[in-house]
Amino acid sequence: SDVYKRQGINAEYGGKSPVKGRKTGDKSRSFKAGLTFPVGRLHRHLKEGQFAKRVGIGAPVYLAAVLEYLTAEILELAGNAARDNRRIRIVPRHIMLAIRNDEELNKLLGAVTISSAGVIPNIHQDLFPEKKKEDGEEEVGESQVL
């Protein structure tokens, strides 16, 4: 029993600690960085993905911060789109509308197709009927000018 105490093993629980999980003093890297996204998981994926031979300690923190910012930005705009359509729940359509109506997000995610999101409503100006002037003459459009 004295040997167990020196090694930090609790003999009453069969050598296992009664408390599962982290020690009280441990803090996750996400908590230390003030982030919600998992820094440790991103670090593991960066290492396992073999994107480089070595991964620095700051890389997953920076990556988590960027991903968290982009997610918050998209969700805020999608929430506004849902509210404009008088909906409570954000659906893929609202996410697509948020991305396509924002210039920078559209540039970043221009080649991305979102499943079951539809398309941006757009009718080309040449398809509208031409407006007539008051004196009976048709207005000359750009397509008629040579």
Side-chain angles (χ1 to χ4, degrees):
S1 146
D2 202 25
V3 174
Y4 287 129
K5 286 182 182 176
R6 276 188 265 134
Q7 293 178 352
I9 299 172
N10 195 339
E12 295 175 19
Y13 293 97
K16 295 181 181 177
S17 174
V19 179
K20 301 253 182 198
R22 298 179 182 275
K23 293 181 274 185
T24 56
D26 288 347
K27 289 187 175 73
S28 69
R29 288 188 281 173
S30 298
F31 181 80
K32 288 178 183 177
L35 298 171
T36 304
F37 270 50
V39 173
R41 184 177 300 172
L42 287 171
H43 194 183
R44 185 183 79 231
H45 287 306
L46 283 173
K47 288 190 291 187
E48 289 175 355
Q50 295 180 344
F51 301 106
K53 290 182 180 179
R54 295 162 37 155
V55 178
I57 200 71
V61 178
Y62 198 91
L63 178 61
V66 169
L67 290 175
E68 187 171 319
Y69 169 74
L70 286 174
T71 303
E73 188 74 20
I74 290 172
L75 285 176
E76 181 183 352
L77 294 172
N80 294 342
R83 193 179 326 108
D84 291 345
N85 292 327
R86 296 182 296 282
R87 299 285 189 270
I88 297 172
R89 186 173 295 140
I90 295 174
V91 294
R93 172 83 179 160
H94 301 138
I95 295 172
M96 193 270 307
L97 288 172
I99 291 171
R100 299 295 173 240
N101 289 328
D102 187 80
E103 185 180 337
E104 293 173 341
L105 286 175
N106 190 28
K107 187 175 180 182
L108 177 67
L109 303 171
V112 172
T113 302
I114 300 173
S115 177
S116 67
V119 295
I120 292 287
N122 184 25
I123 301 173
H124 200 275
Q125 291 297 319
D126 290 343
L127 297 175
F128 284 118
E130 293 183 5
K131 296 180 182 176
K132 295 190 176 189
K133 288 187 176 179
E134 292 178 6
D135 57 354
E137 294 181 19
E138 286 188 14
E139 185 179 300
V140 178
E142 292 179 18
S143 61
Q144 294 177 349
V145 176
L146 296 177

